[in-house]
Amino acid sequence: MSVAIDRRALEPWQDPSAVPFVRIERVTKQFGDIYAVDDVSLSIFQGEFFSLLGSSGCGKSTLLRLLAGLDYPSSGRIFIDGADVTDIPPYQRPVNMMFQSYALFPHMTVEQNVEFGLEQERMPRRERAERVGEMLDLLKIGELRKRKPDQLSGGQRQRAALARSLAKHPKLLLLDEPLGALDKRLRENTQFELVNLQERIGTTFVTVTHDQEEAMTMSSRIAVMEAGRILQIDTPTGIYEFPSNRFVAEFIGSVNLFEGRVMQRDGDLVTVETRLGRPIQMRCPLPLALGKPVTIAIRPEKIRLSAAYRDDAVNQIRGTVEDIAYLGDVSIYHVRISPDQVTRMTLANIQPQTEQELTWGQEVAMEWSPTSGVVLTD
Amino acid sequence: MPPTARPRQPGRRLSRLVNIGIPYLWLGIFFLLPFVIVLQISLAEPRLAQPPYTALAEWLGDGVLSIRLDLQNYLLVLSDDIYLAAFMNSLKVAFFCTLLCLLIGYPMAYAIATAPSRWRIPLLMLIILPFWTSFLIRVYAWIGILQTSGFLNNFLLWLGLIDEPLAILYTQTAIYIGIVYSYLPFMILPLYANLTRLDRTLLEAAADLGCRPFRAFVRVTLPLSRAGIIAGCMLVFIPVVGEFVIPDLLGGPDTLMVGRMLWTEFFSNVDWPLASALAILLLGLLVIPFVLMQRWQLAAEDPDR
Amino acid sequence: MRRGRWPLFTILAFGYAFLYIPVALLVIFSFNESRLVTVWSGFSTKWYAELFRNQQLLEAAWLSIRIAAVNATFAVLLGTLSANALVRHRRFRGRGGFELLLTAPLVMPDVIIGLSLLLLFVALQQGIGWPDGRGFTTITIAHITFSLAYVAVVVRARLSQLDRSLEEAAMDLGARPLTVYLRITLPLIAPALLSGWLLAFTLSLDDLVVASFVSGPGSTTLPMVIYASVRMGVSPQINALATLIMLFVALAVVVASLALRSQAKDRGHRTNARR
């Protein structure tokens, strides 16, 4: 029982009585004939680290700009902390944004950049200086205070931009591809720093990213977007393990898809008939009509591979090893299971590669349990 | 669901009004309106008074408004060979000067655009610098060079290439030299701007595909610099057609050009209506190249359109 | 490959010679002892001394400088507004006409601008009694009308290069649009405003034709004096004046480019912007 309460505090979206901090209600943004954001509704809770994930042009940045007030929705309403901000201009919203290009003012020092927002608030000078100091310390860039943006490295600029957008203590911080301009190594370190920072100050973060790994590492929840619509909102685990549709399954990580029809139902266990030999049994909580076409999605690492074909296994498909890509920690196997389908699976290299029994051209059997994948209906 | 109205932005409305309204009003009053007046006066008759033209509309009493449109000025210009000759000569001079500027300016712009990058800005500055010094004085400098006892003749005599001084000043040749000299930067700048934007890997690709340098230039560089060529040519051609200072200072009394003719009619003959008619005809002549330039400029700015 | 560049360099060398020899001769012969401007007869600065005793010329120069300064200031103001209009208000009714009006003065022959403005001033004086006579005001108005188009070109180029997210960031941090313009946009386009000002200043200082049309008795500008004198024939005094003008301009260009260089340090936004 106590576990359940804990879960509610950490995952307010599970609690029907929780009041969302940001509420986007049926928001649409049209540019000419193009629907950049198409009838999106979304709730974000206090203290969340929420990510909008999608490929470029999916509408995620537009949605962020709508939250910031840099664009106005064609229809729908936006509420932040209970107040309707739909028509409020950006300079009156309790929201700040970190821009993808950082948008540091090139003619001002780091200090002046951080102070800029506070000046607009008419904060007294003494308090302003104090707050600037706090922010520079928080981001550990105190010694750079007198520098101008072009005298900073990429990572330092990112920190300066972050300090500037946090200086006003916004209720909501928006981050547009916060790590996009950093090189790979720096990006990985910064991901954790950003999460720690967010936990420390407790501000609600909404980020936009096209990098699924980044979204998985940092977020409390992720909204996957495509063509202006949200396809799924869930925790990183939920998005990865239980994608709700084909697009999300394929967009996040890699996946093997088997098409078939529902043949039999037994409680939450369905049996699906495919063209690949024996029927496949999967756990599925959805009520599915018999004969309904479905797709079974199974992640490559959930599949076991063996040289021996066993008659008693539940889900088993035969195939031939066609390709092996050795990546060090894991190897990727491509197994042809029919003339027009190749399955992909990942095996951890527990033993040195040389001692492994599987090789090119070998007949193998693939197995997985009914709980290691999902049944998709679209 | 009905779309929510775009939030009112009084600031933006004001910004629109100030940024568009004020310059528009200024140009409307001091650039557009004057042409209407020129057109109106070109239809009036000259008279010896201040101002030296008749009114187009007059109240004759009893509520009768008399409007007299006099096409005589246009008829005069179109029937008198001297005006026609001036127009033809202006077009001819402008055409050949534009061609000369292009022939000299293109290689120069190309050389600057392909020079090592640290040389480009200084070389370009050297093109622009004379443009910052007085136009009148640069034309004046040529008088000293071209006159009978000038540097050029002295130099050629000293070389022994000629036995007696050539008469260059106060001829059409002097006008060509002066115009090409003064307008060369206007040709080079747009060409340079265009050529520096040219992707050099295109030429490498052409070479890789077996195209010799000259052919690559003709097939790749030249077509891609078309916008620059047109901009440069129009920036030279249009103002040269109406040029006054250079033909007046370097040309002889028999050199006829429209700009000079207009000046003479206005200042010496005090025939304002005739000068206005000349201005309107000149304007009509320049509208076509101007519209062409405008269209090309828009296309170059926004290739997606 | 390198051999292929020789013809280009030769053309470049001849081109620069063509551009600079006349100017160089002008300067050299301003120091000539003799009245002749083509035969060297010894070094002298007497023409400069004579220049500074020429009251009429000095007065004209002072008038021209005043007109040029006022013109440049107003042209920068109006040109910047026009650039704002074109870059910031992408769609408005009459945009095509607006662009036409802004481009036309760049190529319009001087005689047409001069004549048409004079006729406007005459008509206005008849109609509403303003301007009362012609002189400083009418010349300045005429100069602003064509200078503003040049300023608009310079400022527009700079403004459209500006990273929009800088202004959005300022707005996001609570700055109202006017504050954004004054604190972010203006400082960042300042170099363009400076070069626009200098350009407008020299255009005005250089104009003979338009000023001749719209000036009145008692308002003779420097180019008008030079023109009258040149028509009489060459004179070393004009050479001396030309040398001084060029010195002045070169100085202004150097000062401006130094100012721009120190500004360029702040131009991080070119590398800062990734979009």
Side-chain angles (χ1 to χ4, degrees):
Chain A
M1 205 57 210
S2 68
V3 175
I5 291 165
D6 233 349
R7 261 182 85 80
R8 282 196 178 176
L10 283 171
E11 301 183 347
W13 51 90
Q14 304 277 17
D15 177 3
S17 66
V19 179
F21 187 64
V22 177
R23 219 166 75 230
I24 296 173
E25 268 181 15
R26 306 207 57 185
V27 162
T28 294
K29 175 65 181 178
Q30 257 178 287
F31 293 109
D33 294 339
I34 298 158
Y35 285 81
V37 173
D38 190 359
D39 196 12
V40 163
S41 295
L42 176 64
S43 293
I44 299 169
F45 294 86
Q46 177 92 52
E48 268 204 81
F49 196 127
F50 193 93
S51 292
L52 298 168
L53 175 64
S55 46
S56 69
C58 71
K60 56 190 194 304
S61 289
T62 308
L63 194 55
L64 200 72
R65 291 172 61 84
L66 292 174
L67 280 173
L70 297 171
D71 278 324
Y72 294 97
S74 311
S75 69
R77 317 283 323 159
I78 296 173
F79 300 86
I80 294 174
D81 200 10
D84 185 342
V85 298
T86 317
D87 296 338
I88 306 288
Y91 44 88
Q92 286 166 351
R93 290 195 188 195
V95 170
N96 285 125
M97 173 150 161
M98 193 183 115
F99 287 75
Q100 183 177 13
S101 63
Y102 306 140
L104 290 168
F105 306 133
H107 57 303
M108 297 184 190
T109 60
V110 169
E111 195 173 38
Q112 288 167 332
N113 263 288
V114 176
E115 203 180 354
F116 185 87
L118 305 173
E119 268 174 62
Q120 306 309 317
E121 257 180 10
R122 312 229 182 288
M123 185 187 268
R125 185 175 293 273
R126 169 111 45 91
E127 227 175 297
R128 234 156 56 194
E130 217 168 275
R131 181 77 68 84
V132 171
E134 247 169 63
M135 285 300 138
L136 297 179
D137 289 346
L138 182 67
L139 275 306
K140 307 188 191 78
I141 48 172
E143 70 278 16
L144 305 173
R145 62 194 316 152
K146 296 292 179 202
R147 296 228 193 135
K148 293 214 172 153
D150 64 338
Q151 298 165 308
L152 302 177
S153 71
Q156 291 169 335
R157 273 187 211 167
Q158 195 246 14
R159 284 161 182 275
L162 203 52
R164 185 178 74 177
S165 53
L166 284 171
K168 295 181 78 172
H169 289 337
K171 289 180 175 174
L172 178 64
L173 183 72
L174 309 173
L175 303 101
D176 191 357
E177 301 275 3
L179 311 173
L182 302 180
D183 59 45
K184 194 172 169 9
R185 191 179 293 264
L186 196 55
R187 203 176 326 168
E188 277 169 17
N189 292 332
T190 316
Q191 281 174 7
F192 291 106
E193 270 186 52
L194 209 53
V195 173
N196 291 337
L197 178 77
Q198 194 258 349
E199 277 170 5
R200 200 142 31 113
I201 59 176
T203 308
T204 311
F205 279 26
V206 176
T207 85
V208 149
T209 178
H210 67 276
D211 183 333
Q212 41 158 309
E213 213 174 290
E214 194 176 301
M216 303 280 279
T217 318
M218 299 194 299
S219 320
S220 60
R221 282 191 305 156
I222 298 172
V224 180
M225 287 188 72
E226 167 65 13
R229 292 175 170 272
I230 290 181
L231 297 183
Q232 186 174 4
I233 305 175
D234 209 336
T235 58
T237 323
I239 294 263
Y240 187 77
E241 303 287 353
F242 307 106
S244 64
N245 55 62
R246 243 178 117 139
F247 181 87
V248 174
E250 288 189 288
F251 186 72
I252 313 285
S254 50
V255 72
N256 295 302
L257 299 172
F258 306 109
E259 282 166 9
R261 278 173 193 283
V262 178
M263 203 169 89
Q264 198 190 325
R265 278 194 65 92
D266 184 10
D268 60 357
L269 213 59
V270 291
T271 309
V272 177
E273 186 180 30
T274 68
R275 294 182 295 122
L276 305 164
R278 287 202 307 205
I280 297 171
Q281 267 184 23
M282 297 300 295
R283 169 82 51 82
C284 177
L286 302 172
L288 295 172
L290 293 183
K292 186 177 173 63
V294 290
T295 307
I296 295 164
I298 296 158
R299 300 283 178 195
E301 74 281 1
K302 301 269 184 342
I303 299 178
R304 288 184 307 272
L305 203 59
S306 59
Y309 187 74
R310 292 179 306 152
D311 278 337
D312 58 330
V314 187
N315 297 320
Q316 200 173 45
I317 293 178
R318 272 194 276 194
T320 319
V321 177
E322 206 168 74
D323 249 320
I324 305 173
Y326 173 68
L327 299 184
D329 52 349
V330 293
S331 291
I332 295 170
Y333 290 76
H334 286 187
V335 178
R336 180 165 294 282
I337 52 174
S338 77
D340 56 356
Q341 194 173 3
V342 172
T343 324
R344 181 186 156 99
M345 66 208 67
T346 324
L347 291 189
N349 288 324
I350 300 163
Q351 299 153 335
Q353 173 82 19
T354 47
E355 291 171 28
Q356 276 183 355
E357 45 181 325
L358 298 172
T359 176
W360 289 272
Q362 190 169 351
E363 288 268 323
V364 288
M366 308 183 309
E367 280 175 45
W368 64 90
S369 82
T371 53
S372 340
V374 287
V375 179
L376 305 172
T377 52
D378 63 341
Chain B
M1 180 192 274
T4 47
R6 199 184 167 80
R8 281 188 307 123
Q9 294 172 283
R12 195 164 163 84
R13 287 263 292 281
L14 185 68
S15 147
R16 217 174 232 279
L17 198 67
V18 170
N19 286 319
I20 302 172
I22 294 177
Y24 220 145
L25 198 67
W26 181 283
L27 288 167
I29 294 175
F30 295 115
F31 193 74
L32 203 58
L33 183 59
F35 292 132
V36 178
I37 295 173
V38 174
L39 183 66
Q40 181 196 332
I41 289 171
S42 74
L43 296 169
E45 272 176 57
R47 61 171 184 169
L48 284 173
Q50 192 56 255
Y53 53 86
T54 58
L56 281 194
E58 245 172 333
W59 288 101
L60 297 177
D62 295 337
V64 178
L65 179 70
S66 138
I67 297 177
R68 289 155 42 117
L69 295 182
D70 198 339
L71 290 173
Q72 193 194 317
N73 299 307
Y74 290 95
L75 292 176
L76 181 66
V77 171
L78 294 175
S79 60
D80 194 334
D81 283 349
I82 197 165
Y83 297 108
L84 218 58
F87 269 106
M88 292 316 291
N89 196 42
S90 289
L91 287 178
K92 190 182 108 189
V93 168
F95 176 79
F96 284 108
C97 285
T98 307
L99 198 65
L100 281 170
C101 279
L102 183 62
L103 290 179
I104 302 171
Y106 198 102
M108 285 182 77
Y110 188 81
I112 297 172
T114 55
S117 56
R118 71 203 146 91
W119 284 105
R120 272 182 226 162
I121 296 301
L123 285 173
L124 197 67
M125 277 306 287
L126 284 176
I127 299 287
I128 301 173
L129 211 58
F131 172 72
W132 287 87
T133 68
S134 171
F135 173 71
L136 194 56
I137 282 168
R138 277 179 297 140
V139 176
Y140 163 75
W142 281 99
I143 298 180
I145 296 172
L146 298 177
Q147 61 183 243
T148 322
S149 59
F151 301 108
L152 188 64
N153 276 317
N154 289 351
F155 183 64
L156 292 177
L157 284 170
W158 178 75
L159 281 180
L161 284 174
I162 53 173
D163 296 327
E164 56 187 72
L166 300 170
I168 305 174
L169 192 64
Y170 307 130
T171 66
Q172 194 105 321
T173 315
I175 296 181
Y176 280 111
I177 294 174
I179 290 177
V180 170
Y181 177 73
S182 305
Y183 282 88
L184 193 55
F186 290 98
M187 179 64 84
I188 295 179
L189 291 181
L191 280 174
Y192 168 81
N194 184 284
L195 287 169
T196 40
R197 261 180 290 158
L198 188 78
D199 187 354
R200 293 271 216 110
T201 54
L202 293 179
L203 290 181
E204 288 168 6
D208 182 61
L209 294 169
C211 195
R212 291 181 169 278
F214 182 73
R215 254 190 96 63
F217 174 79
V218 173
R219 295 285 305 271
V220 178
T221 311
L222 211 52
L224 285 174
S225 56
R226 195 167 48 175
I229 294 175
I230 294 197
C233 287
M234 291 306 153
L235 282 179
V236 175
F237 183 83
I238 300 175
V240 167
V241 173
E243 181 58 49
F244 162 74
V245 176
I246 297 169
D248 191 63
L249 290 180
L250 302 182
D254 54 331
T255 321
L256 297 172
M257 280 184 75
V258 188
R260 203 177 175 197
M261 206 106 209
L262 195 156
W263 178 283
T264 314
E265 291 298 345
F266 186 85
F267 286 103
S268 314
N269 304 345
V270 201
D271 191 342
W272 291 17
L274 188 61
S276 300
L278 283 173
I280 291 293
L281 288 172
L282 179 55
L283 206 59
L285 201 65
L286 295 180
V287 158
I288 299 161
F290 178 70
V291 168
L292 273 180
M293 180 187 81
Q294 187 82 0
R295 183 169 297 175
W296 274 94
Q297 202 177 8
L298 287 178
E301 263 167 31
D302 193 358
D304 308 329
R305 188 145 50 181
Chain C
M1 194 64 208
R2 294 237 58 95
R3 203 167 45 115
R5 296 193 54 83
W6 272 111
L8 280 182
F9 279 126
T10 316
I11 288 172
L12 213 51
F14 273 106
Y16 283 114
F18 178 56
L19 284 178
Y20 280 92
I21 285 177
V23 175
L25 289 173
L26 205 65
V27 173
I28 292 168
F29 279 88
S30 73
F31 295 105
N32 194 7
E33 172 81 57
S34 140
R35 226 198 136 77
L36 293 169
V37 292
T38 49
V39 182
W40 184 256
S41 55
F43 182 83
S44 159
T45 53
K46 69 178 181 190
W47 302 110
Y48 287 87
E50 197 172 296
L51 188 67
F52 283 107
R53 284 195 299 271
N54 186 339
Q55 202 57 40
Q56 190 210 5
L57 197 139
L58 290 180
E59 267 169 31
W62 177 232
L63 176 70
S64 277
I65 288 172
R66 279 184 305 153
I67 290 175
V70 175
N71 157 61
T73 309
F74 275 90
V76 165
L77 213 72
L78 289 168
T80 307
L81 292 181
S82 317
N84 288 341
L86 288 175
V87 179
R88 289 303 148 80
H89 300 276
R90 293 204 62 93
R91 274 174 231 286
F92 57 86
R93 252 215 307 230
R95 188 189 159 99
F98 191 62
E99 281 200 55
L100 207 76
L101 282 180
L102 271 177
T103 325
L106 302 177
V107 289
M108 191 63 68
D110 293 345
V111 282
I112 295 183
I113 296 183
L115 175 73
S116 65
L117 272 164
L118 169 68
L119 296 181
L120 173 80
F121 290 138
V122 170
L124 281 179
Q125 194 180 2
Q126 275 185 304
I128 60 170
W130 179 91
D132 188 17
R134 292 186 293 281
F136 184 92
T137 314
T138 50
I139 300 174
T140 310
I141 288 175
H143 284 182
I144 293 168
T145 304
F146 65 79
S147 305
L148 85 87
Y150 286 86
V151 175
V153 170
V154 176
V155 176
R156 183 184 184 180
R158 174 80 182 175
L159 203 56
S160 57
Q161 277 179 357
L162 202 68
D163 183 0
R164 255 345 268 273
S165 64
L166 290 174
E167 288 162 291
E168 289 179 347
M171 219 188 284
D172 181 67
L173 291 167
R176 289 166 170 281
L178 188 65
T179 314
V180 174
Y181 197 80
L182 295 177
R183 297 250 351 238
I184 308 297
T185 317
L186 270 188
L188 292 174
I189 62 170
L193 299 188
L194 180 63
S195 29
W197 196 92
L198 283 173
L199 184 62
F201 188 87
T202 34
L203 283 170
S204 166
L205 206 58
D206 203 16
D207 168 65
L208 163 72
V209 176
V210 176
S212 299
F213 276 98
V214 298
S215 76
S219 58
T220 308
T221 63
L222 187 62
M224 287 160 74
V225 173
I226 297 174
Y227 175 69
S229 158
V230 167
R231 292 214 64 171
M232 298 297 172
V234 289
S235 142
Q237 218 184 96
I238 299 294
N239 288 41
L241 179 66
T243 308
L244 287 181
I245 290 179
M246 283 187 283
L247 200 69
F248 178 72
V249 168
L251 218 65
V253 170
V254 168
V255 168
S257 54
L258 284 182
L260 293 185
R261 187 166 300 172
S262 74
Q263 268 275 340
K265 283 189 187 159
D266 298 341
R267 266 198 285 174
H269 74 285
R270 293 297 289 150
T271 47
N272 203 340
R274 303 244 321 188
R275 253 187 300 202

